Amino acid sequence: MKTVWLIPGFAVLLLGAGCALSKSQTNQVPSETTPIAEKKMDAPVSGVRAPDPGSRESEEASSEPSSPHIVTVDGGEFFFDPSSITAKTGETLMINFGTVTGHHIFTIDELNIAQAMTPGGSVTFTVPSTPGRYTYYCSVGPHRTLGMTGTLIVE
């Protein structure tokens, strides 16, 4: 009789051990990161002066970050429209996906971007600080070799 209870008891013990794995022992990746709050400085740093209240410099320092540069990109069989986008170094660029025919993934390798294109979807990123030309393309099957490419021109 005692052996009958041993098997179910062992199974419960194994299940409990599996549930006790910590997050660091699993392959889970956190879905969201919490930004680190900025540290408020009590005393001014040597050699740095705060702007005078009411001055133009003060207004610029307290102004909201600039709004993103927004571009709408359509995707079809096998094209992007527009086929080139011009942006300034360091600015925030939001690419909205307009009309999308078929399944496509908007990809820029150098920026680690690979975003499925869905009508009304978007991808937002900071434009590289290095001027140049960056290729964007569709990474689905042979779409890139069939001509579904474009150029991000960074000035």
Side-chain angles (χ1 to χ4, degrees), residues 122-135:
S122 68
V123 62
T124 302
F125 57 93
T126 301
V127 175
S129 58
T130 305
R133 293 175 172 264
Y134 300 81
T135 299

Side-chain angles (χ1 to χ4, degrees), residues 43 96 101 120 125:
N96 290 330
T101 305
F125 57 93

